[in-house]
Amino acid sequence: MTEYEQTLLARAAARQDRLIRDCLVLYAGANLPSPAAQGAYSAALSAYPAMGPSFAKEQPDTDLVSELEEAVRRQICDLLGAGWAEPRLPSCTYANLAVFHALTRPGDLFFGPAAQHGGHLSQRRGGTPDVVGLRVTDLPYDRERLCLDGHAAARMIERDRPAMVLLGRSIMLKPDDLAPVVAAARQAGAITVFDASHVLGLIMGGTYPNPLAAGVDVLTSSTYKTFPGRPHSIVAGRDPAHGALLAGVIDRQLLANNDTGRLPSLLVSLCEAKEEIGDYARAISRGTRRLATALRAEGLTVRVAEPDETPTHQLLVPLPPSVPQAGAIRIFAEDGILLGTCADPAVPGGHALRIGTQFITRHKTGDTPDWDEIARRLAQTFGKLSR
């Protein structure tokens, strides 16, 4: 091993302490599992594949993997009020791909969020839906209220009768009104899917309405944002028939092997969520509100949920048109602040800083984050962008 490679390994080993102690992590898609969840990873479970359904796998000595799969499924169903759950896929992009394969056919009409409104590559035109051969139409968005235009979406569904409607985005400042969309989709025979990657922990914690309880058919999610686990995915739903179709695609066509050593870690994170996720979700929403207030006091424009609405972990600060996104990220990183940028859904062609409160809320060094000091640091660096 070269000295350079040894240096890389040392830096990797020190990264967690650096993120918690030396950086202000305000990236909206970041988190770390607990020490117990990190320690539960089992490399021995991934020593060889465990292909196929639980307790009917092709390899020997896989009953423990099957038991873990079933235990994780039970916890997911418990936390989300779901009728079935699928924990085997490595990320939500793969989960969305599998759901598209299982529940649609090439050429079907698909409604999903536009990139300008926060549509992720696994949800939008030109991304994963295209891989499956779906015809993609953008869902309407309310630029003034910064959320899905549920009534306009319902009218589109009634008129065009898509096969699938995907809800949820990478920019989610507050809950969408899902009721008119769910009702129209049910009338039109469309399957509804909610990508909860950014708000899974808030759903489990009760500060974001549960889409499954609202009648959405399938929920997909990653597990490392407001839900503080290792990178993975979950899929859950109401109708076991949908779960059976998804499992068939996974078993026959998609998953020859996966890192089953992650299952114990996911199980620990889910069990911890039963005890802690409510307090955590409420602290995230409080932090978002306090940070928004503090940033406005520093003179910055902030896009966040209205005072009578419950905020998520996200708030946006519009960027000057002359500032490139990559340049903004770099300047903040040089000051020890890790955050991202995104399209500004309120301004066509505009961009914004996307700030998340979930990491610092969980990994704060004191009793509570000092949101006024965080806002001061953000404003100080923001002032450098136009220089």
Side-chain angles (χ1 to χ4, degrees):
M1 185 181 295
T2 67
E3 183 178 345
Y4 173 66
E5 290 164 342
Q6 290 175 340
T7 300
L8 289 178
L9 293 174
R11 288 169 59 195
R15 184 173 177 83
Q16 180 162 319
D17 283 347
R18 174 178 170 270
L19 289 177
I20 293 173
R21 296 177 185 175
D22 302 331
C23 295
L24 186 59
V25 182
L26 295 170
Y27 189 77
N31 221 318
L32 287 169
S34 70
Q38 292 180 46
Y41 177 79
S42 173
L45 285 173
S46 298
Y48 43 84
M51 293 172 59
S54 299
F55 301 107
K57 297 187 181 296
E58 297 182 21
Q59 287 77 25
D61 190 33
T62 51
D63 280 356
L64 177 56
V65 171
S66 295
E67 289 180 54
L68 284 162
E69 288 172 349
E70 288 298 290
V72 167
R73 288 184 178 114
R74 285 193 297 271
Q75 291 291 345
I76 294 168
C77 288
D78 236 19
L79 283 160
L80 292 173
W84 61 271
E86 176 54 66
R88 289 180 289 168
L89 295 164
S91 73
C92 193
T93 295
Y94 281 99
N96 285 345
L97 176 66
V99 167
F100 300 159
H101 271 297
L103 302 181
T104 66
R105 296 179 178 179
D108 279 351
L109 182 60
F110 172 94
F111 286 2
Q116 178 65 33
H117 308 140
H120 185 261
L121 68 87
S122 67
Q123 306 168 335
R124 69 185 184 225
R125 181 193 307 275
T128 305
D130 287 19
V131 174
V132 188
L134 299 176
R135 296 182 292 119
V136 182
T137 294
D138 297 339
L139 283 166
Y141 188 83
D142 187 330
R143 286 201 185 103
E144 291 188 4
R145 297 189 60 242
L146 299 174
C147 61
L148 173 75
D149 189 334
H151 291 287
R155 291 192 293 272
M156 284 176 54
I157 293 167
E158 292 166 356
R159 181 189 69 214
D160 298 334
R161 305 184 73 83
M164 179 174 284
V165 179
L166 190 142
L167 306 160
R169 300 171 302 281
S170 290
I171 304 171
M172 299 183 72
L173 306 182
K174 58 187 175 183
D176 290 331
D177 180 10
L178 301 183
V181 178
V182 169
R186 189 167 293 155
Q187 185 71 21
I191 293 171
T192 47
V193 179
F194 189 95
D195 185 333
S197 291
H198 270 274
V199 293
L200 179 64
L202 306 182
I203 291 168
M204 290 179 172
T207 63
Y208 193 104
N210 186 337
L212 295 178
V216 167
D217 296 306
V218 178
L219 180 147
T220 63
S221 185
S222 60
T223 54
Y224 58 92
K225 298 179 178 75
T226 55
F227 181 88
R230 291 171 60 93
H232 201 71
S233 80
I234 65 169
V235 188
R238 300 168 68 248
D239 184 351
H242 292 155
L245 289 169
L246 177 63
V249 166
I250 291 171
D251 293 332
R252 292 191 303 270
Q253 299 169 314
L254 196 61
L255 200 65
N257 191 14
N258 68 106
D259 187 359
T260 54
R262 292 183 292 189
L263 288 170
S265 179
L266 180 56
L267 181 59
V268 170
S269 294
L270 290 164
C271 290
E272 289 172 343
K274 278 192 171 179
E275 303 296 325
E276 305 168 358
I277 202 74
D279 288 342
Y280 180 43
R282 289 186 288 274
I284 289 170
S285 294
R286 287 196 303 270
T288 302
R289 183 70 70 201
R290 290 173 183 173
L291 181 57
T293 299
L295 286 170
R296 284 171 174 156
E298 294 286 343
L300 297 183
T301 299
V302 179
R303 307 204 195 287
V304 71
E306 295 297 326
D308 61 340
E309 300 165 330
T310 301
T312 66
H313 60 305
Q314 295 184 10
L315 53 87
L316 307 182
V317 176
L319 283 169
S322 60
V323 176
Q325 295 181 75
I329 291 172
R330 177 183 54 78
I331 289 170
F332 275 94
E334 288 171 352
D335 282 354
I337 302 170
L338 306 184
L339 46 68
T341 61
C342 64
D344 183 347
V347 179
H351 294 93
L353 302 177
R354 188 183 65 166
I355 298 169
T357 58
Q358 78 292 340
F359 189 99
I360 195 70
T361 297
R362 182 170 173 83
H363 304 287
K364 57 189 178 293
T365 54
D367 290 336
T368 58
D370 186 341
W371 297 113
D372 290 335
E373 174 60 18
I374 291 170
R376 185 195 65 77
R377 287 185 60 185
L378 283 166
Q380 186 176 50
T381 302
F382 191 88
K384 299 178 181 180
L385 296 182
S386 298
R387 293 177 190 169

